[in-house]
């Protein structure tokens, strides 16, 4: 699928090593914060938040702070935890909205405790996210996180009202991805830079890095759903197809497809009438039009844009870590 | 049902007159705040927020500020709007959780746009509530509102895990009511007092007033659901029964009931097997054990407690308004 095969795949290990100590504190704080006299809350929240999540977003905050010269200090810990809480809250609500039974191969809170509990525990995590960010109290950081939360939700509503629209264009589809997935990556980076009291130009550059990285991650996720590698990354091959979720590979294959192919996609995605063998057929159409490799190329272009945002930081010891995150994102699809 | 019949029913008119000017500003701000480039958001939010809501909570904030000597100023407007947004967000999520098709006789957002939109628009309103309170930025007010939001959600989760439990006691049931319904009334009063920079003892007294008023309102709501007056108050008689929602009148009637009656309540509430004539039978059992008048007596005792919290304010010109709110609450059931 990719044009070059590197000797060794990039990994998240350099990032993990860089923020190892702080991430332990973030995890402790997450555990403490979900305590409640109402038993279901810590049960459901811990189930979600310990279920193999990569903690990518809080790690980005911790690492971005270091990249900007923030050394030791307690401020960044609740802020990084807050970002993970926003992420977890959106996951809980997404599972209800997508009617998902599994996430990373593990039963969702929705499957275990039902829709009602998932909605309310999601609300609880949202509130906790706000309480954690209030501990810092910096108006700029509060505004950034609140506005990111608002944009994520707007992006999700936009996705809801356009989903199943096979006639959409690449540009429109990417707009939804940027509006839904990028704000939290962007905010994760921005909070790290702000806590380190970086100049506005640096804050902006790192937020752009986060925005492009977010798109790159989402597109590779969408590729993986049609890839035989999905098992190794904890994704379930074919989930997006079964849920009739229109992702970029499908948009590309639909637009390039014959009338017969368009009828296939309409039956399986719009009418949601799927039968045995349809997933294999979908794979064949995706490969016929190089839809997965075209999606990867677009992901690569976002990765290049993200990398350019790091130019001002090339002297920092943390610089290679941020480059490797981008490579890790792309290498997942190999 | 009540022991005395006043000549004239108390109303919310004195409260409305007191805050008329400011409430217009709050309503304007609410309209502006739900604007979004994603069309569904203002549609769904306006549908909910203009659908005959009493705006009771923001009016309490505006009036509490006046009671504490706050005269003119812009701070209280976004805070009062924020409280209405928290309320609206919980209503949207409640409608999904209770699977309600109507609210105050009008189709719910859930019925019109589906569960998914209701969850996400609820999230959007939550975020907007936080953005509005951030405009003020006073740490005490932010903490108060964030912690109230957290307690509401905890109360709702507690209700979810105990609902349908006919064996509960009056005390346990009232605990759920206090935890779920009171925090926002409490916060509405507290924010008004804090914005007026009242001394801590006054803030506390007015928050207690809000807490007791909240219980009083909820109990009278629960009575109205079994009352022929419900149509005039915009409630639908029998909704709680059909939804098998265990409210205080049912708790009282169940505990006092014969084995045969207990079997009736178990069939209709736990097994949710309801047939024609069951609602009339439920009414007969409730009346046999004076469950509605007992509930009203408990509501009255909360009203008395609330009134006592006003003692320090008896010289203020706004004092009679707050007394009348309590009487209005009780008079609704007559």
């Amino acid at each position: 699928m990719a044009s070059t095969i590197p000797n060794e795949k990039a990994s998240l290990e350099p990032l993990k090593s860089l923020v190892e100590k702080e991430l332990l504190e973030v995890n402790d704080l997450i555990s403490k914060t979900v305590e409640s006299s109402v038993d279901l809350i810590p049960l459901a929240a811990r189930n979600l938040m310990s279920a193999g999540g990569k903690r990518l977003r809080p790690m980005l905050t911790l690492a971005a702070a270091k990249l900007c010269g923030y050394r030791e200090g307690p401020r960044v810990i609740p802020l990084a935890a807050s970002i993970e809480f926003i992420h977890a809250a959106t996951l809980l609500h997404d599972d209800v909205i997508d009617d998902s039974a599994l996430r990373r191969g593990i039963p969702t809170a929705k499957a275990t405790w039902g829709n009602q509990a998932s909605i309310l525990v999601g609300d609880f995590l949202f509130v906790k996210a706000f309480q954690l960010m209030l501990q810092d109290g910096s108006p700029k950081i509060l505004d950034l996180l609140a506005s990111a939360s608002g944009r994520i939700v707007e992006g999700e509503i936009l996705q809801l009202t356009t989903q199943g629209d096979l006639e959409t264009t690449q540009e429109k589809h990417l707009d939804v991805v940027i509006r839904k997935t990028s704000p939290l990556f962007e905010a994760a980076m921005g909070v790290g830079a702000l806590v380190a009291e970086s100049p506005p130009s640096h804050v902006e550059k790192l937020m752009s890095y986060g925005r492009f990285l977010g798109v790159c991650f989402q597109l590779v996720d969408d590729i993986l759903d049609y890839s035989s590698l999905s098992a190794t990354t904890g994704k379930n091959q074919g989930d997006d197809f079964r849920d009739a979720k229109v992702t970029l590979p499908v948009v590309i294959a639909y637009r390039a497809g014959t009338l017969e192919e368009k009828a296939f996609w309409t039956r399986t995605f719009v009418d949601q009438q799927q039968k045995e063998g349809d997933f294999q057929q979908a794979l064949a159409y995706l490969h016929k039009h190089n839809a997965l490799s075209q999606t990867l190329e677009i992901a690569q272009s976002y990765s290049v844009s993200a990398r350019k945002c790091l130019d001002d930081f090339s002297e920092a010891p943390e610089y290679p870590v941020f480059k490797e995150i981008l490579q890790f994102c792309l290498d997942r699809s190999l």
Side-chain angles (χ1 to χ4, degrees), chain A:
Chain A
M1 199 186 305
S3 48
T4 57
I5 297 172
N7 293 328
E8 208 180 324
K9 280 196 188 183
S11 83
L12 280 185
E13 288 312 318
L15 174 62
K16 283 183 191 160
S17 307
L18 177 64
V19 300
E20 196 177 10
K21 195 180 124 259
E22 292 83 357
L23 191 61
L24 286 176
E25 291 182 57
V26 171
N27 284 337
D28 274 355
L29 182 58
I30 287 175
S31 271
K32 256 192 278 176
T33 307
V34 297
E35 273 165 24
S36 165
S37 58
V38 181
D39 296 342
L40 178 66
I41 294 174
L43 262 177
R46 287 206 179 108
N47 175 69
L48 172 77
M49 301 188 84
S50 64
K54 290 188 292 288
R55 296 273 196 272
L56 180 59
R57 293 160 190 79
M59 285 200 291
L60 286 176
T61 301
L62 298 169
K66 289 197 173 190
L67 180 69
C68 294
Y70 183 84
R71 284 299 163 245
E72 295 281 322
R75 281 182 63 197
V76 75
I77 305 298
L79 291 170
S82 172
I83 283 173
E84 186 68 4
F85 273 95
I86 296 173
H87 177 56
T90 60
L91 289 186
L92 274 172
H93 287 184
D94 277 356
D95 286 340
V96 178
I97 287 161
D98 298 342
D99 204 18
S100 309
L102 294 174
R103 177 174 290 280
R104 302 188 200 104
I106 292 170
T108 56
K110 173 203 128 51
T112 310
W113 289 282
N115 281 347
Q116 301 170 319
S118 294
I119 296 170
L120 291 175
V121 175
D123 289 348
F124 182 81
L125 298 182
F126 255 134
V127 173
K128 289 293 151 182
F130 279 101
Q131 288 183 310
L132 284 165
M133 67 181 88
L134 287 178
Q135 286 183 24
D136 187 70
S138 143
K140 266 191 200 161
I141 291 178
L142 288 170
D143 283 347
L144 179 66
L145 284 171
S147 111
S149 307
R151 286 189 298 130
I152 294 166
V153 177
E154 280 189 294
E156 287 184 329
I157 297 174
L158 184 66
Q159 186 183 42
L160 190 67
T161 53
T162 58
Q163 79 188 357
D165 180 12
L166 288 165
E167 302 284 347
T168 192
T169 61
Q170 270 191 33
E171 291 65 36
K172 274 195 199 163
H173 181 83
L174 284 169
D175 179 49
V176 176
V177 172
I178 290 175
R179 293 176 74 159
K180 190 196 141 176
T181 309
S182 287
L184 203 52
F185 281 90
E186 203 178 306
M189 294 296 295
V191 166
L194 282 173
V195 90
E197 290 169 15
S198 292
S201 68
H202 280 188
V203 177
E204 218 167 278
K205 286 265 167 62
L206 291 185
M207 287 180 67
S208 298
Y209 171 90
R211 182 164 58 250
F212 297 133
L213 172 66
V215 181
C216 185
F217 248 97
Q218 186 59 55
L219 295 182
V220 174
D221 252 10
D222 295 344
I223 294 168
L224 278 170
D225 215 82
Y226 291 96
S227 150
S228 54
L229 285 168
S230 57
T232 60
T233 58
K235 282 210 62 158
N236 296 295
Q237 195 191 33
D239 273 359
D240 288 349
F241 183 76
R242 268 186 298 277
D243 292 349
K245 207 182 263 182
V246 177
T247 56
L248 190 59
V250 175
V251 171
I252 291 171
Y254 178 84
R255 290 187 82 79
T258 62
L259 279 180
E260 189 189 339
E261 292 173 27
K262 283 193 163 72
F264 167 83
W265 293 114
T266 304
R267 170 172 65 78
T268 51
F269 276 73
V270 181
D271 308 336
Q272 297 191 30
Q273 308 243 322
Q274 299 187 0
K275 51 184 171 55
E276 230 188 290
D278 277 348
F279 182 63
Q280 294 308 317
Q281 181 64 71
L283 282 180
Y285 289 148
L286 291 172
H287 286 298
K288 175 181 169 195
H289 298 292
N290 299 316
L292 298 178
S293 52
Q294 280 190 58
T295 302
L296 184 59
E297 270 169 37
I298 296 171
Q300 276 163 334
S301 74
Y302 278 97
S303 166
V304 169
S305 302
R307 189 162 168 168
K308 281 190 194 141
C309 300
L310 297 173
D311 284 350
D312 289 355
F313 303 90
S314 59
E315 303 298 315
E318 296 83 5
Y319 171 69
V321 173
F322 282 90
K323 277 202 311 183
E324 178 135 3
I325 296 168
L326 294 171
Q327 198 54 49
F328 162 76
C329 171
L330 294 171
D331 284 1
R332 290 192 307 155
S333 71
L334 294 175

